[in-house]
Amino acid sequence: MPNLSTPRRTVLAAALALTVTFAPPLVEACTRLVYHGVADQIVTARSMDWKTDVGTNLWVFPRGMQRNGEAGPNSINWTSRYGSVIASGYDISTTDGLNEAGLSASVLWLVESSYPEHDSGKPGLTIAAWAQYVLDNFATVAEAVAYLSTEPFTLVSDNVPGEDRLATLHLAMSDATGDSAIIEYIDGKQVIHHGRQYQVMTNSPTFDKQLAMEEYWKDIGGTIVLPGTNRAADRFARASFYVNAVPKTDDPLETIASVFSVIRNVSVPYGLTTPDQPNISSTRWRTVTDHKRKRYFFESALTPNTFWVDLDKLDLSEQTGKVMKLDLGANQKNIYSGMANDAFRESAPFRFLGI
């Protein structure tokens, strides 16, 4: 280890203690980060880490789709204003995606989540459609935050498919300006963190405590030492340092390569098991979103190629746009390369899991 002065050793010890304190015993290990580059290059990346196949496929949704909140008789209804490309979970939910206005949305696991009771006087929205609601309705983070802060619906959760536990998630949004927001439900109340400075989000702990960790690690500096485990707190520290440490260039290829290198750095090796932490999860796939060029990159842990979807070359119109599906296969083993727009096939839309 590098030679550290006594004050820096003290700060390091505190940071390590903080990391251990905030690391939860049960971990579903996803990471999301936003890169602020030069020449208006804003890029968002996320990893999907889960202990079993999450049944992901890519979908194209055009404008004008009629949606239902799938929360029983009193469900919110809407018509999609924007087309989008999304990555599904089990083909019953939207886990990640980008819309044609350049807004991205991602949901990650947060075990501390606690949602309000379903108010019969307020329409409900299934948590499976939370990210899609944002992609369908808003062009910017500021627009989404302004509306969602009024709490126009009650978020309703249900059990994870095949498991006896509720889906407990928090939502991250970013847009082409570099704006960012994190929305959580803690003790039944909505909490919103809004600003460009909120570049990184992992799982537990709650986001306010993740920010406290960031302050500790800023005092140390990532060139001295960074935590290396696959715990959420350690991944947060690494992502926060590297997303701003990688060189910034106006070359789009180098920009995408840099962001992929950061999200790979905080991924969990495939098939990894940790005896005392049975819920540590392997990285199943990664996405990188180029907000400026409207390109949505996808990389499976089990295939040799990275491919992308170009939203500017899709028909997302209400009149002629079609729902399209890219079949990724079991464990996302199907191989695609380059721009994959032509590999999508028209399909009936999936139905969001509700109650």
Side-chain angles (χ1 to χ4, degrees):
M1 176 178 288
N3 185 25
L4 301 177
S5 64
T6 298
R8 298 203 93 179
R9 285 183 185 275
T10 301
V11 174
L12 175 58
L16 289 171
L18 191 67
T19 298
V20 172
T21 299
F22 288 159
L26 301 179
V27 180
E28 301 293 359
C30 300
T31 305
R32 168 266 194 185
L33 56 92
V34 183
Y35 167 93
H36 296 157
V38 299
D40 299 323
Q41 294 190 103
I42 304 296
V43 181
T44 298
R46 71 84 51 88
S47 62
M48 169 57 79
D49 304 352
W50 203 251
K51 58 186 177 180
T52 58
D53 180 16
V54 74
T56 296
N57 292 296
L58 297 192
W59 292 79
V60 171
F61 293 138
R63 298 186 293 274
M65 293 186 67
Q66 302 298 310
R67 304 285 202 184
N68 179 274
E70 302 294 350
N74 187 22
S75 294
I76 193 168
N77 294 284
W78 72 95
T79 301
S80 61
R81 297 175 58 201
Y82 301 100
S84 59
V85 171
I86 68 99
S88 68
Y90 303 103
D91 277 352
I92 57 163
S93 66
T94 294
T95 64
D96 188 76
L98 171 69
N99 74 14
E100 61 183 312
L103 178 69
S104 75
S106 308
V107 287
L108 281 70
W109 194 262
L110 179 67
V111 70
E112 292 90 348
S113 299
S114 176
Y115 305 104
E117 294 294 325
H118 190 180
D119 181 353
S120 59
K122 185 181 291 189
L125 174 69
T126 172
I127 198 170
W130 193 12
Q132 192 63 53
Y133 184 86
V134 167
L135 295 172
D136 283 353
N137 286 291
F138 307 110
T140 67
V141 170
E143 183 185 352
V145 167
Y147 185 75
L148 295 177
S149 63
T150 68
E151 300 191 64
F153 53 77
T154 300
L155 198 63
V156 178
S157 186
D158 200 354
N159 284 354
V160 177
E163 299 188 37
D164 187 22
R165 57 172 177 165
L166 284 178
T168 51
L169 307 171
H170 50 175
L171 173 71
M173 299 178 288
S174 53
D175 65 25
T177 72
D179 198 8
S180 180
I182 312 297
I183 302 182
E184 300 177 337
Y185 282 85
I186 308 300
D187 296 327
K189 296 181 179 180
Q190 181 180 247
V191 179
I192 300 178
H193 302 269
H194 178 206
R196 284 175 59 91
Q197 69 272 32
Y198 302 130
Q199 292 176 259
V200 177
M201 182 178 83
T202 56
N203 314 105
S204 298
T206 55
F207 193 66
D208 59 334
K209 295 179 180 178
Q210 293 184 33
L211 296 177
M213 289 188 296
E214 184 178 25
E215 289 303 312
Y216 271 88
W217 286 106
K218 280 182 179 177
D219 288 337
I220 296 171
T223 58
I224 302 298
V225 65
L226 281 171
T229 80
N230 49 23
R231 290 174 178 267
D234 289 11
R235 289 182 284 107
F236 182 91
R238 295 202 305 280
S240 296
F241 171 72
Y242 284 123
V243 73
N244 291 308
V246 291
K248 297 188 176 181
T249 171
D250 59 3
D251 185 326
L253 294 179
E254 292 183 9
T255 295
I256 295 300
S258 292
V259 177
F260 260 117
S261 70
V262 177
I263 197 65
R264 288 167 182 153
N265 181 278
V266 293
S267 296
V268 181
Y270 190 82
L272 180 72
T273 58
T274 305
D276 63 338
Q277 296 185 50
N279 286 297
I280 286 285
S281 304
S282 299
T283 296
R284 298 277 163 176
W285 49 260
R286 290 171 284 265
T287 61
V288 169
T289 295
D290 185 334
H291 294 266
K292 180 178 181 179
R293 299 171 185 85
K294 309 288 178 59
R295 292 178 180 175
Y296 186 70
F297 294 81
F298 189 92
E299 179 180 70
S300 170
L302 291 178
T303 62
N305 294 331
T306 298
F307 65 91
W308 66 89
V309 183
D310 189 331
L311 272 71
D312 284 340
K313 296 181 179 179
L314 292 171
D315 182 359
L316 298 174
S317 68
E318 182 175 353
Q319 293 75 21
T320 58
K322 305 293 184 183
V323 175
M324 308 283 281
K325 176 183 177 181
L326 185 67
D327 184 2
L328 299 181
N331 290 293
Q332 298 75 61
K333 289 183 179 179
N334 290 351
I335 296 175
Y336 301 96
S337 63
M339 188 177 72
N341 289 39
D342 291 343
F344 281 80
R345 296 291 177 264
E346 186 175 348
S347 175
F350 64 79
R351 182 175 179 178
F352 291 101
L353 178 67
I355 60 173

